[in-house]
Amino acid sequence: KCPQLLHDFDKSLKTTCGWWDGETAEFGHDLFGVLGEGGRPDYQWLIVGPKRSGSCFHIDPNCTHAWNAPIIGRKRWIFYPPGVTPPGVFPSPNGDDVCMPISIGEWFLTFWDQHVERRKDPDVRRRPLECTACPGDVLFVPHGWWHMVMNIGDDDIVGGVAGGDERGVSVALTRNYVSGSNLSDVLRFLDSRVNQISGCRDRGEAIQ
């Protein structure tokens, strides 16, 4: 049933919030939609992984916003605001390359103490943010923010077995989009950083 999960939950999101539905008058938050499915960059994914897997620090592609909806399992998120690079992360001046630990575990073991110190930054605008997203939540990821996520399992009763899912599997839906709040940044990025456009390398005409 996994290939159907995205469709199944997308329908539920449309029911609860008109912005998810391209056929309603409220639609308009995803401006990449005007390009059509063949013309826009890749934008939605069904993500499945075991406990303690996840994603190292990154900024979402093409200056897009994103939302992430956990379906099974909890996720621990760490965010750093635009202009504040997380400890252990070294981007090149033009953003083409990023040097960082190759695994989430390595980052936690090596740079956690520095991260804790960053929580105490006298300028609250530079402090990292952290949260845990659970099934039923929808997390907003604003464009330009560094973020990482670790799957931390599910402590609830799953399948009638106390203590959660022993497999520790995590399933989530995520989608990147363009709205009025980041449209100017996206257009500037697409115009000035063509070699960094992500999600349409298999469709050269989409970049044009």
Side-chain angles (χ1 to χ4, degrees), residues 40 44 47 70 124 144 155 187 207:
R40 67 180 300 164
Q44 58 185 1
I47 302 175
V124 296
D155 291 335
L187 292 176
I207 299 177

Side-chain angles (χ1 to χ4, degrees), residues 56-136:
C56 294
F57 275 109
H58 64 282
I59 294 175
D60 279 347
N62 307 328
C63 285
T64 54
H65 296 319
W67 57 260
N68 183 281
I71 305 303
I72 299 174
R74 299 171 300 150
K75 292 178 175 289
R76 185 65 181 176
W77 292 77
I78 299 176
F79 294 88
Y80 275 81
V84 181
T85 305
V89 177
F90 305 96
S92 62
N94 63 3
D96 273 345
D97 300 293
V98 179
C99 180
M100 70 177 75
I102 61 174
S103 71
I104 298 174
E106 182 182 354
W107 185 86
F108 274 100
L109 289 172
T110 308
F111 297 103
W112 179 253
D113 289 343
Q114 294 182 40
H115 169 69
V116 171
E117 288 302 313
R118 296 282 193 94
R119 294 170 173 171
K120 307 172 186 176
D121 194 307
D123 186 347
V124 296
R125 296 169 299 180
R126 296 178 58 84
R127 293 178 184 175
L129 302 178
E130 301 177 40
C131 68
T132 298
C134 302

